[in-house]
Each structure stands twice: as C-alpha cells, then as structure tokens.
Amino acid sequence: MKRIVEAQEIDGTIVPKHEVELLCKACGYDLDESELEADTCADCGVDLDLQQNVAIHTTTLPAAGGGVF
C-alpha cells in the first residue's frame, strides 16, 4: 500500500510531500488496507511483519548561504 501525504505547513513548520509504502517484510508483497489488519501475509502466509519504504519530495529550496568562497 502506498500512501501519499501532500506538503503542508503546520505551526510555521513545512512538512514536505512524502510517500509511505508498506510491504510484507518476508516476501515484498504490496499490502492493501484490509490486509494490514490481518495477522498473516495474504501472499506467503507467514506472520505479518511490515517493511516501510519512505520517499521524501523536495518542496522548497533553502536560501543560498552568505559566505564567499
């Protein structure tokens, strides 16, 4: 299951756009929400242990530093 969270500003802090993907750690099966509630993987049948992959997108670039090199 891949969940995408859009960029947002919370109390003056920018939370960048990011994606979270949940897979079965044993076989790499892409799980959906109903399968996450189960105790076993729907594909390989082992006890469910999750692998989480996170991708963070750059939403803003910081200002250039003030030093001269």
Side-chain angles (χ1 to χ4, degrees):
M1 176 179 93
K2 188 179 283 189
R3 183 177 11 177
I4 299 174
V5 179
E6 294 297 326
Q8 54 188 315
E9 185 173 338
I10 300 174
D11 296 329
T13 301
I14 296 175
V15 177
K17 177 180 177 179
H18 58 283
E19 300 176 19
V20 179
E21 182 178 31
L22 298 174
L23 307 168
C24 171
K25 195 172 190 175
C27 69
Y29 181 70
D30 187 12
L31 302 160
D32 66 23
E33 286 189 46
S34 63
E35 293 169 329
L36 289 174
E37 296 175 9
D39 291 334
T40 58
C41 175
D43 190 48
C44 67
V46 301
D47 290 342
L48 194 57
D49 189 14
L50 297 177
Q51 173 182 334
Q52 179 174 305
N53 299 329
V54 178
I56 300 174
H57 298 259
T58 303
T59 55
T60 60
L61 294 175
V68 176
F69 297 96

